[in-house]
Every structure is written in C-alpha cells, then in structure tokens.
Amino acid sequence: MLNMILWFTGIILSVFIIQLLINYLKSLFPGQNKTYILQPFYRLMKLVSKKDAENKPLIQWFSAGALWFSLAALWLTVSGWNIVYIFSLLIMAELFTVSGASKTNNPFGLMAVQRRISAFLITCFTFMVAACSIYKVTGTLNLDDISAYANNVLLIIRLPLTLLSLVLIILIEESVCWFDLGISGRSMSFIDTGLYSSYNGWCLAAIQLTQWVKAGIWLKLVSVFLPWSPWLSFAASILIYAILMVSDGFIAKTGWKRAVLNGFIWAGGASVINFICLYLVIA
C-alpha cells in the first residue's frame, strides 16, 4: 500500500514539475512572452480561488467527474490493474471533459470539441490494437504481470512499434508536433484554449489537473516497456516526454485534417503493423 501511495504521489508531482519546466522553456522561444517558472502554479491557484458562475452547476459536475475518473485511473495504474480497465476510466474522464466543453457558445470552442473527439478516436483505436499485441506477447493485460514479464524479457524488442504507438498517443493527446489539431490556436496557455472556453474558476483548474494526471498515466504505461528499474524507467519516459513537448516549437504546423491523418497512419499504423508481425513471426 505504501508503495502504491508513493507511486501515486510521485507521478502527480513529477508531471507537475516537468510541466513547469516545459512551460518555462517554451516561453523562451521567439514570439512568446517571457514567464517565470512557477507561473503555471500561480495560474492554477488563481483559478482555484475564483468562484464559478452559479448558473453553471452542470459544468461543475463535468469537471469534478473528469478529475475523479482520471485520479481513479491513476490509482488503478499504480495498483497494477488491467490496462483495459484503466483505459475505460480514461474514456470516462474524456467524455466528461468533452461533454462540459460542448456547452460553450464559442464557435471556435465547438470546433475544438469536434477536433478533440477525432483525436480521441485515434487514441482508442491505437490503444486497443496495442493492448491486443501486449496480450499476444505476455498473455495478460494486468500491468503488474506485464511489468514482471518485462523484467525477464525485453518487451521493447518484441513490441517496438507498440511502444512507438503509445508514445505517439501522448503527442496526439497533447496535440503537439505532427499531431497538432489546432485546438489551442496560437496560444501557449491552457487557460486560453478554445476547447475549455466553457470552464472557468476551479472547474478549469480541475480540467487542467485532469490533463496532467492523464499524461502521468500514459507515461507510466510507456515506462513498462523500458528495460530498467520502475522509477528509472519512469524518469526516462518523462525525459522523452519533455524533449518531445519542447521540440513542438521547432516543428512546422500542418492542417488539422492532415494531423488526424498523421495520427491514424503513424500511431494506428504502428500498432497494427506490430500486431500483424507478431502473428507472422509466431505462426
């Protein structure tokens, strides 16, 4: 139990700290306003201190529900549960987030909701195929058992493209690099993102925390494939995440339709190819 609590707390703190660093490094890019490293924390606390409009009780439920499901998914992750159960909770968190976001009257916000749904469909397809590949190799979908298998056999050798597809899922979820669907427009700040225009105050803070928790879950899943101790593997996955997030500033943007196509071809294609290769090799 203590180990699970340490992992639960450690993942949340690690993602929070790396987000502070990423935000600061991105602010150093040309065309961005300079900021100090703790500014995301200050913004989060400022949002928590605000009171939401009393005529938006449904939005409050959506934001609270999204955070609760994401935290529940994180707890199952550190407990070593079945990865399909974990993903089902992530789906619920996403549904709550998008349902609340769809209540906006902002045209760009509604457009962002549609694009976000497209991105999550890619995530669902890619992950389910990846889960099939993982089960084919390990014979289980329990995260603890997968980790134990990875300690004896280099999982990354059997499932290299599956690992790549999970890394690409993170980029799709964050809408960065070659998978930028234009959800946040030109803004670097989460607060100014059109997708979350219906949220404000502590509700927006809850959605921000939800996104960070979800990122931590994906990083933990990726770390299972790495051939080192659990904490070292997780640290390596965070480093990869930080490099990819910062490199977003150096990659030319494309249209959102092309970004969706990139997601299906790269992430979905990688998981499908690895799945087919497993059957060809084993057969």
Side-chain angles (χ1 to χ4, degrees), residues 23-35 186-189 249-250:
N23 183 81
Y24 177 72
L25 292 176
K26 282 187 172 183
S27 71
L28 301 178
F29 291 170
Q32 296 290 350
N33 295 325
K34 298 298 186 294
T35 183
R186 296 180 179 275
S187 173
M188 187 181 69
S189 172
F250 302 96

Side-chain angles (χ1 to χ4, degrees), residues 109-142:
L110 294 175
M111 178 183 66
V113 168
Q114 296 174 352
R115 295 182 181 184
R116 178 59 203 153
I117 292 174
S118 299
F120 195 68
L121 288 176
I122 300 173
T123 298
C124 291
F125 172 77
T126 303
F127 180 80
M128 295 312 295
V129 177
C132 292
S133 297
I134 293 172
Y135 184 79
K136 179 67 175 176
V137 171
T138 65
T140 181
L141 289 176
N142 289 333

Side-chain angles (χ1 to χ4, degrees), residues 172-188:
I172 294 170
E173 288 290 294
E174 297 287 350
S175 190
V176 296
C177 297
W178 306 274
F179 313 101
D180 186 356
L181 275 67
I183 292 176
S184 59
R186 296 180 179 275
S187 173
M188 187 181 69

Side-chain angles (χ1 to χ4, degrees), residues 20-178:
L20 295 181
L21 180 61
I22 291 170
N23 183 81
Y24 177 72
L25 292 176
K26 282 187 172 183
S27 71
L28 301 178
F29 291 170
Q32 296 290 350
N33 295 325
K34 298 298 186 294
T35 183
Y36 55 93
I37 194 168
L38 291 177
Q39 188 167 10
F41 176 75
Y42 170 76
R43 287 177 176 174
L44 194 66
M45 293 299 99
K46 191 174 181 180
L47 286 173
V48 173
S49 65
K50 290 182 178 179
K51 293 184 178 179
D52 290 318
E54 295 181 357
N55 59 349
K56 290 187 176 181
L58 194 59
I59 297 297
Q60 297 178 10
W61 281 105
F62 282 135
S63 58
L67 180 58
W68 187 90
F69 277 112
S70 64
L71 290 173
L74 178 58
W75 181 255
L76 293 188
T77 302
V78 300
S79 301
W81 274 55
N82 190 303
I83 59 175
V84 175
Y85 292 165
I86 296 170
F87 188 65
S88 66
L89 292 179
L90 290 178
I91 292 177
M92 291 303 300
E94 186 68 24
L95 289 176
F96 270 74
T97 301
V98 172
S99 297
S102 65
K103 300 301 179 182
T104 182
N105 294 322
N106 184 341
F108 181 74
L110 294 175
M111 178 183 66
V113 168
Q114 296 174 352
R115 295 182 181 184
R116 178 59 203 153
I117 292 174
S118 299
F120 195 68
L121 288 176
I122 300 173
T123 298
C124 291
F125 172 77
T126 303
F127 180 80
M128 295 312 295
V129 177
C132 292
S133 297
I134 293 172
Y135 184 79
K136 179 67 175 176
V137 171
T138 65
T140 181
L141 289 176
N142 289 333
L143 199 56
D144 269 350
D145 295 335
I146 296 172
S147 299
Y149 181 92
N151 289 334
N152 299 321
V153 180
L154 288 179
L155 198 59
I156 190 174
I157 295 179
R158 300 291 302 279
L159 299 172
L161 294 181
T162 298
L163 171 60
L164 175 62
S165 68
L166 292 181
V167 173
L168 294 180
I169 281 178
I170 297 177
L171 300 183
I172 294 170
E173 288 290 294
E174 297 287 350
S175 190
V176 296
C177 297
W178 306 274

